Amino acid sequence: QVQLQESGPGLVKPSETLSLTCTVSGGSISSYYWSWIRQPPGKGLEWIGYIYYSGSTNYNPSLKSRVTISVDTSKNQFSLKLSSVTAADTAVYYCARSTYYYDSSGYYGYYFDYWGQGTLVTVSS
Amino acid sequence: QSVLTQPPSVSEAPRQRVTISCSGSNSNIGNNAVNWYQQLPGKAPKLLIYYDDLLPSGVSDRFSGSKSGTSASLAISGLQSEDEADYYCAAWDDSLNGWVFGGGTKLTVL
């Protein structure tokens, strides 16, 4: 059974960089897309970005200037860095795996099949 | 303001059926598969429906999904108290080149 576990500081000061790591166990990080998703307290889900195991990335345009996602296949981990944080970045941060389904017509679609338990990061001085 | 539009809340009595709508556009729901996630209080989201209407292994068949044009729906039949949760739709958006979510719908079982 694949498991994802987020780790990192729960408190970050304004203007500093938020850093989180997601450790994947029970399966290989290879051949999948890995995403970071966040949820401000009492609000909905927001996709931050993804990384493919090979290292290619794609970020939410609204966060792109501040986000870096990297992968370490030797450790079965991927990481998030979000710079210049403000109180608006206070949220529960989830890591998630996406996989795809191919139908008989050759069409396919991706979905998030495994999620970490989430970690609350508070931005405050 | 979420790219995908869901009603903030729905409620229904036990053993009844409820539907949750998700409205989008041609760049997301109209051209890509819709997935649904269930988030129990204090928990991480869990995959409920993928590729519009497919159930992951282990998910009750009381849950079903459908899609028509730029809208999708999640139906839950035989409502139980354990179904009280937030439900989110999601789809890939070709214009934004990223994932978009609905704002979430809180289900209350009366």
Side-chain angles (χ1 to χ4, degrees):
Chain A
Q1 177 78 342
V2 175
Q3 292 185 312
L4 287 72
Q5 179 68 57
E6 304 89 349
S7 59
L11 181 64
V12 181
K13 289 182 169 55
S15 81
E16 296 190 344
T17 296
L18 177 160
S19 296
L20 295 174
T21 294
C22 182
T23 301
V24 180
S25 59
S28 174
I29 204 167
S30 297
S31 304
Y32 290 99
Y33 288 90
W34 303 91
S35 283
W36 287 98
I37 297 160
R38 70 180 183 179
Q39 184 173 37
K43 296 188 177 181
L45 301 167
E46 179 183 35
W47 174 73
I48 299 170
Y50 70 61
I51 189 165
Y52 193 47
Y53 78 102
S54 62
S56 61
T57 56
N58 186 25
Y59 303 136
N60 186 323
S62 68
L63 299 168
K64 188 173 184 176
S65 64
R66 300 193 292 131
V67 173
T68 301
I69 299 177
S70 58
V71 65
D72 186 337
T73 55
S74 67
K75 294 182 179 179
N76 241 29
Q77 294 177 335
F78 63 105
S79 299
L80 167 71
K81 290 188 184 300
L82 181 66
S83 63
S84 306
V85 297
T86 69
D89 294 310
T90 294
V92 174
Y93 285 76
Y94 296 100
C95 54
R97 187 183 86 168
S98 47
T99 188
Y100 63 88
Y101 171 78
Y102 247 110
D103 70 16
S104 57
S105 301
Y107 292 99
Y108 64 94
Y110 280 85
Y111 54 95
F112 300 112
D113 59 347
Y114 289 101
W115 296 65
Q117 66 184 27
T119 187
L120 174 62
V121 178
T122 302
V123 178
S124 175
S125 56
Chain B
Q1 190 82 357
S2 301
V3 174
L4 305 181
T5 302
Q6 298 180 234
S9 64
V10 295
S11 60
E12 187 53 88
R15 297 179 297 282
Q16 299 304 305
R17 182 177 185 271
V18 70
T19 61
I20 297 172
S21 62
C22 176
S23 178
S25 67
N26 286 327
S27 65
N28 41 66
I29 293 178
N31 200 40
N32 296 296
V34 176
N35 308 311
W36 290 89
Y37 301 91
Q38 177 193 57
Q39 187 176 34
L40 296 170
K43 300 294 187 182
K46 167 194 166 186
L47 179 66
L48 199 61
I49 297 285
Y50 67 101
Y51 206 68
D52 299 339
D53 58 9
L54 300 181
L55 261 65
S57 174
V59 172
S60 170
D61 59 5
R62 296 186 299 105
F63 295 93
S64 62
S66 63
K67 187 175 83 172
S68 178
T70 59
S71 294
S73 291
L74 171 70
I76 311 172
S77 60
L79 276 172
Q80 302 175 3
S81 59
E82 66 199 52
D83 298 330
E84 284 203 337
D86 293 325
Y87 293 85
Y88 292 90
C89 58
W92 182 263
D93 191 291
D94 295 328
S95 297
L96 296 176
N97 195 32
W99 285 100
V100 292
F101 288 91
T105 299
K106 182 177 182 60
L107 168 64
T108 300
V109 180
L110 300 171

